[in-house]
Amino acid sequence: MAALISIRGLKKAFGRFMVLHGIDLDIAEGEVVCVIGPSGSGKSTLIRCINHLEGFEKESSVTVDGVRVEQGAALAKVRAEVGMVFQSFNLFPHMTVLRNVMLAPMRVRGTPPAEAKRKALDLLARVGISEQADKFPSQLSGGQQQRVAIARALAMEPKVLLFDEPTSALDPEMVGEVLDAMRKLAGTGVTMIVVTHEMGFARQVADRVIFMDGGRIVEAGTPSDIFDSPREERTRGFLRAVLNH
């Protein structure tokens, strides 16, 4: 079966600084992949290249569902199929929660308002905040806002959901509610790539864990492979530091 996402020789530089050194990676449909590693290892840059939020060197190749990611008409097609949830929630402050979730399907897919509203209410219920539908983002906690952001990404019925450290901007007591929403989502068959510092989440939810350092994939495997018996000393050192072993 062909990979839903296929990355070959992915290189990205900021000026003279090479952030990604020729990444090769395939993601299967329905797979949940967690990307872990120290700050500055290229994790966020990697997933931002998938929908071309970051450009990359021209010899690199990224395809999503058979469509090559590059500037032009193909890029709009890819972005319609790839949802993204950021560290900061990026909600429209002047719109209610419900309108935030309804907007993209109406604008991009031409979904009629009544259908968009029905779907938005279903999605808000799915992430556990249907009672907040008529509030504005400023009236919500950070955890609630991030769950709205997840519902908004799902509203486009994407083939892939990218999460860029979705809990890192939250107060500690709000992290659990967002991770719970993501756990439920992972059980629905949606393809997810999650850049995260939450090792417990990666161990419980991921089909595959990728450890990155210095712009390279150092090691990849099942959660048990990575957390219980990592092959590489660099992986072991990182896990000792973050897990306080």
Side-chain angles (χ1 to χ4, degrees), residues 100-212:
N100 264 282
V101 179
M102 290 172 59
L103 184 65
M106 291 192 303
R107 288 269 179 90
V108 179
R109 297 210 190 277
T111 305
E115 184 183 346
K117 181 176 181 180
R118 179 183 57 77
K119 283 187 174 178
L121 289 170
D122 285 347
L123 288 169
L124 290 171
R126 195 161 148 190
V127 296
I129 47 169
S130 52
E131 73 283 359
Q132 311 294 345
D134 295 324
K135 291 185 178 177
F136 289 89
S138 61
Q139 297 173 287
L140 273 55
S141 71
Q144 289 170 329
Q145 289 186 62
Q146 191 61 294
R147 285 187 281 162
V148 175
I150 293 171
R152 182 179 60 180
L154 286 168
M156 287 291 287
E157 299 179 0
K159 291 180 176 165
V160 183
L161 262 182
L162 308 176
F163 294 84
D164 186 7
E165 298 186 15
T167 60
S168 64
L170 298 176
D171 292 333
E173 65 268 23
M174 296 175 186
V175 169
E177 64 189 66
V178 174
L179 293 179
D180 282 345
M182 291 170 64
R183 276 190 194 94
K184 289 174 185 167
L185 197 55
T188 66
V190 65
T191 307
M192 293 169 58
I193 308 175
V194 185
V195 172
T196 185
H197 293 293
E198 301 290 339
M199 297 300 136
F201 175 83
R203 182 190 277 273
Q204 291 172 8
V205 175
D207 298 307
R208 184 163 39 134
V209 177
I210 292 170
F211 172 63
M212 288 185 67

Side-chain angles (χ1 to χ4, degrees), residues 48-67:
R48 290 170 71 90
C49 286
I50 292 172
N51 59 358
H52 215 283
L53 287 178
E54 293 285 0
F56 41 80
E57 312 311 308
K58 60 180 180 291
E59 67 268 28
S60 309
S61 168
V62 179
T63 61
V64 176
D65 200 21
V67 179

Side-chain angles (χ1 to χ4, degrees), residues 34-38 209-213 216-221 226 232 234-236 238-239:
C34 285
V35 186
I36 64 172
V209 177
I210 292 170
F211 172 63
M212 288 185 67
D213 189 36
R216 293 179 169 87
I217 293 176
V218 175
E219 190 167 354
I226 299 301
E232 302 296 329
R234 181 67 190 95
T235 314
R236 291 194 287 270
F238 171 76
L239 291 173

